[in-house]
Structure formats: C-alpha cells, structure tokens
Amino acid sequence: MRKIAFFEVGDHERAMLDAAEFPGFEVLRFPDQLNAATLDLAADAEIVSVFIYSVVGRDVIGRMAGLKMVSTRSTGFDHIDLDACRERGIVVSNVPSYGENTIAEHAFALLFAIARRLKVAHRKIRDLDFSVAGLQGFDLQGKTLGIVGAGHIGLHAVRIGRGLGMHVVACDPREDADLAEREGFRYVPLDELLRSADVVSLHAALSPSTRHMIDRDALRRMKQTAVLINTARGGLVDTEALCEALHNHWIAGAGLDVFEGEELISEEAELLHKSMSLEQMRELLLVHNLLRYDNVVLTPHSAFFTREGVGRLVQTALDNIRAYIAGSPQNVVSTGG
Ligand code: NAD
C-alpha cells in the first residue's frame, strides 16, 4: 500500500493530522524528526511531511527509494536538499503564506519587549521591586524601521510599522515601486538601511547568498541605538559577530526568534550524554552568551505558534499532499525532473 509519513508531529497539530484521511494510503505519524537515524521508520514512504528540524538531505533522500513528494509544514525549506530532490524528480511543496501577520506580530512582540525593557521589568516585579529604575525605554513612533526582505511577512511588518507612526525603508532584490508607494515605504540599498534604521527586522529567506548577511561589518554599520530583530532564520546572522556587537555596545539590543544552534539548545540535556562536535559546542556557548544580556530577548522559534497560524499551516500542508495525489501539485518549490 502507498504510504504517507508525517514526522515531527507535535501535540498542537495531532488532532488535525489524526483526522486527515487519504483514501488508498497508509498514514504513519511520528513525533521524531526525519533524519538519517529515523528514516527506517518509513523508508518506503512515497510522501513525507516534515517540520523544520528534519534534515532531508541527500543521504536521507538516497535511502528512500520510493519517495516522490515532500510536504514541509513551514514556509522555509532550507532543511531540504532541493538539488537532490530535483535530480530524483521529487516534488517539494511548502506553505508560502500561512502566517504573514502571525510572524510579523511576533517580530513586534520582540521589539516591544526590548523597547520597554520587559525582561528586566518582569524580573524586578518577581522580586517585588516596583521602582522604575532601569526600565526607561524608547518610543517607536517617528523612528525608522528597516525591513530586510519585503516579501509576505516583511510587507505585513511594514504595515504594522506604518500603523505605529514609523518611517519605513526596505531592501529587497525584487523591487516593486507601485507596492512601495501604496504601502508607504521606500526601497534603499542594504548599506543605507543599516546606517539609517533604528530597528532592523530580518524577513529574507536563508540561502547561500543571505547566510551571515548580518555579519561583523553589517553590525558595525548599524546605529548604536539600533535594535536587530530576527524572525526569519538564524543563519542570516553571524552569532559570534552579534555577541561582539552586544559586548561592545555597537547596537542597543536584539530580539531573536531564530538563532544558530536553536536545534541544539532544545536537546541540550541529551547532548550532555552524547559526544558533541566542537562546532556544536561553540554554537551552544554563543547562545548562552546571548541569554546573559538584558537587552536581548530570545524566543524558541515560536513566531508561527498561534492557534490561527498553526491551523492555516497544517491545513495548507495537507492540501498540498492532496493536490499532489490528484496530479496537480501546488505550492511547489522544486518540481523535480
Ligand atoms: P517571501 O519569499 O515572501 O519573502 C522573502 C523576501 O526576501 C522576498 O521578497 C525576497 O526577494 C527577499 N530577499 C531575498 N534575498 C534577499 C536579500 N539578499 N536581501 C533582502 N531581501 C531578500 O517569504 P516570507 O513568507 O516573507 O518568509 C520570510 C522568511 O521567514 C522565510 O523564508 C522563513 O525562513 C521565515 N519564517 C519564519 C517563521 C518563524 O516561525 N520564525 C515562520 C515562517 C517563516
């Protein structure tokens, strides 16, 4: 019988995935990530559905001889080797826009937390200290918001920023002058954005060309009073350079829903019993370093995680599978062949 295997099934999506029916298919559901160690759970599956911590690399693809479709329950697809899929004719579908407002709202949650020093306020109140000492924040109205990547999510962030009375500039290799005029923002080169923005919010996908786009040089170009927000992908920011920037007060703070090593930190207790590579140890140390700062707020890649966002995400991933079975794949990021 043809098989569909759902990996990384979380409690928040179990009811929807359990209720989904695919006539003619055996449906398997696993809490595990799909990777070289777990693929034997469903090595003969025709369709797999994963979240972002599965590593659908060339080795995994090579060992799943019957694999014909990957449906990722995410927008980003940097965890899937598209070249290897293309060579094997495997269709890869993503969920292009389940949460443009959901992610953009989280970017502002991080920004407000920093602007109003909520991390410190929370700690003081817990200690029954009701003084305002150390809590002075800053307004967003009148400040310049710099959006890196004015796609689905970036555009929603533009609208929230405009609603708060911010000036908005954006950089994106694909410029649309009509859109900019309609939404009230201005395209500028990355260098100008970094130099002029009070808030730099990242919304570009991770690719070889965007990896570490916020490096030491970029951080040096930002205003000392500027805040960096990243809800896109950890790999966009060179974490070591960010630690240096925070230590030397090159910027005023950072709000990160995604960061290099985020997959390690959730497994930290397990890693203590396993051997860890030097690179993994370095990433963990850098994240611990970030946690020390009052002007850094981290969330565990939870920007997508609202009732409404998850509902739309899972529904679209299921629709993608049905469209593939019906012979007209949708939301395809790699067509194979
Ligand atoms: P999108 O494709 O609509 O927009 C990305 C934009 O980035 C595009 O307009 C593209 O032209 C632009 N871009 C590409 N290279 C660039 C560069 N070098 N500089 C500036 N802009 C560049 O994608 P989206 O739906 O807005 O999602 C953006 C990213 O957000 C996704 O790729 C994903 O990694 C991330 N995301 C995170 C979460 C989360 O839970 N934290 C959830 C969903 C998506």
Side-chain angles (χ1 to χ4, degrees):
M1 196 174 198
R2 296 164 84 187
K3 275 189 191 163
I4 304 177
F6 289 89
F7 284 86
E8 292 185 78
V9 174
D11 291 342
H12 57 280
E13 53 187 1
R14 183 156 296 128
M16 275 181 92
L17 293 180
D18 282 353
E21 287 178 10
F22 297 92
F25 281 83
E26 182 184 354
V27 182
L28 307 169
R29 300 168 190 87
F30 305 105
D32 317 65
Q33 299 162 10
L34 171 61
N35 55 40
T38 60
L39 71 88
D40 284 338
L41 289 168
D44 55 348
E46 175 180 337
I47 299 171
V48 295
S49 176
V50 295
F51 187 52
I52 54 167
Y53 296 116
S54 289
V55 185
V56 191
R58 189 171 283 279
D59 52 341
V60 167
I61 291 160
R63 287 170 55 197
M64 298 188 79
L67 187 63
K68 295 204 175 122
M69 194 232 178
V70 180
S71 167
T72 184
R73 303 193 297 288
S74 62
T75 302
F77 41 82
D78 45 283
H79 51 299
I80 302 167
D81 187 330
L82 293 188
D83 288 338
C85 287
R86 209 169 286 124
E87 287 163 22
R88 269 272 308 280
I90 295 168
V91 172
V92 180
S93 289
N94 77 334
V95 181
S97 62
Y98 69 97
E100 48 210 68
N101 69 299
T102 306
I103 312 302
E105 286 172 22
H106 194 85
F108 279 85
L110 293 169
L111 175 55
F112 278 124
I114 291 166
R116 295 310 174 95
R117 298 191 55 77
L118 295 188
K119 192 169 169 181
V120 181
H122 180 68
R123 196 171 58 230
K124 281 169 63 99
I125 293 280
R126 215 180 38 200
D127 296 341
L128 301 180
D129 174 357
F130 287 82
S131 76
V132 295
L135 294 185
Q136 188 171 50
F138 58 87
D139 286 356
L140 295 180
Q141 178 172 296
K143 298 282 165 47
T144 298
L145 169 64
I147 298 288
V148 179
H152 289 96
I153 298 168
L155 268 182
H156 207 91
V158 167
R159 293 183 194 119
I160 299 177
R162 295 283 297 142
L164 292 167
M166 301 180 82
H167 308 291
V168 185
V169 293
C171 80
D172 195 306
R174 285 184 305 198
E175 295 192 2
D176 178 339
D178 292 341
L179 181 74
E181 169 140 17
R182 219 170 37 246
E183 299 289 352
F185 71 92
R186 200 164 52 85
Y187 286 109
V188 294
L190 179 62
D191 183 59
E192 186 181 333
L193 184 149
L194 293 171
R195 289 182 196 284
S196 63
D198 299 293
V199 178
V200 174
S201 192
L202 306 181
H203 301 285
L206 179 63
S207 69
S209 70
T210 59
R211 179 172 294 280
H212 286 189
M213 68 190 299
I214 303 301
D215 58 7
R216 200 170 182 277
D217 277 358
L219 289 158
R220 287 245 63 165
R221 276 178 275 159
M222 286 172 63
K223 289 183 179 181
Q224 250 195 316
T225 50
V227 172
L228 175 70
I229 303 291
N230 188 6
T231 54
R233 281 292 181 268
L236 296 178
V237 178
D238 177 344
T239 316
E240 190 172 346
L242 177 60
C243 289
E244 188 183 1
L246 290 161
H247 180 75
N248 294 315
H249 307 283
W250 295 346
I251 63 170
L256 311 172
D257 183 52
V258 289
F259 37 91
E260 293 176 303
E262 66 187 57
E263 67 289 350
L264 297 174
I265 203 119
S266 57
E267 293 167 14
E268 202 172 60
E270 281 172 46
L271 278 172
L272 291 175
H273 305 288
K274 291 185 195 161
S275 59
M276 222 189 296
S277 72
L278 270 180
E279 184 53 29
Q280 286 178 321
M281 228 182 286
R282 192 179 143 275
E283 283 190 347
L284 270 180
L285 279 174
L286 288 170
V287 176
H288 277 274
N289 184 277
L290 288 175
L291 286 167
R292 294 193 342 220
Y293 291 96
D294 282 340
N295 53 347
V296 174
V297 176
L298 299 186
T299 48
H301 205 136
S302 55
F304 74 101
F305 198 47
T306 64
R307 272 192 307 278
E308 298 81 0
V310 168
R312 288 188 294 263
L313 173 70
V314 175
Q315 190 55 55
T316 308
L318 292 172
D319 291 346
N320 288 346
I321 294 175
R322 293 202 176 94
Y324 161 79
I325 293 170
S328 43
Q330 63 178 27
N331 297 322
V332 172
V333 291
S334 170
T335 45

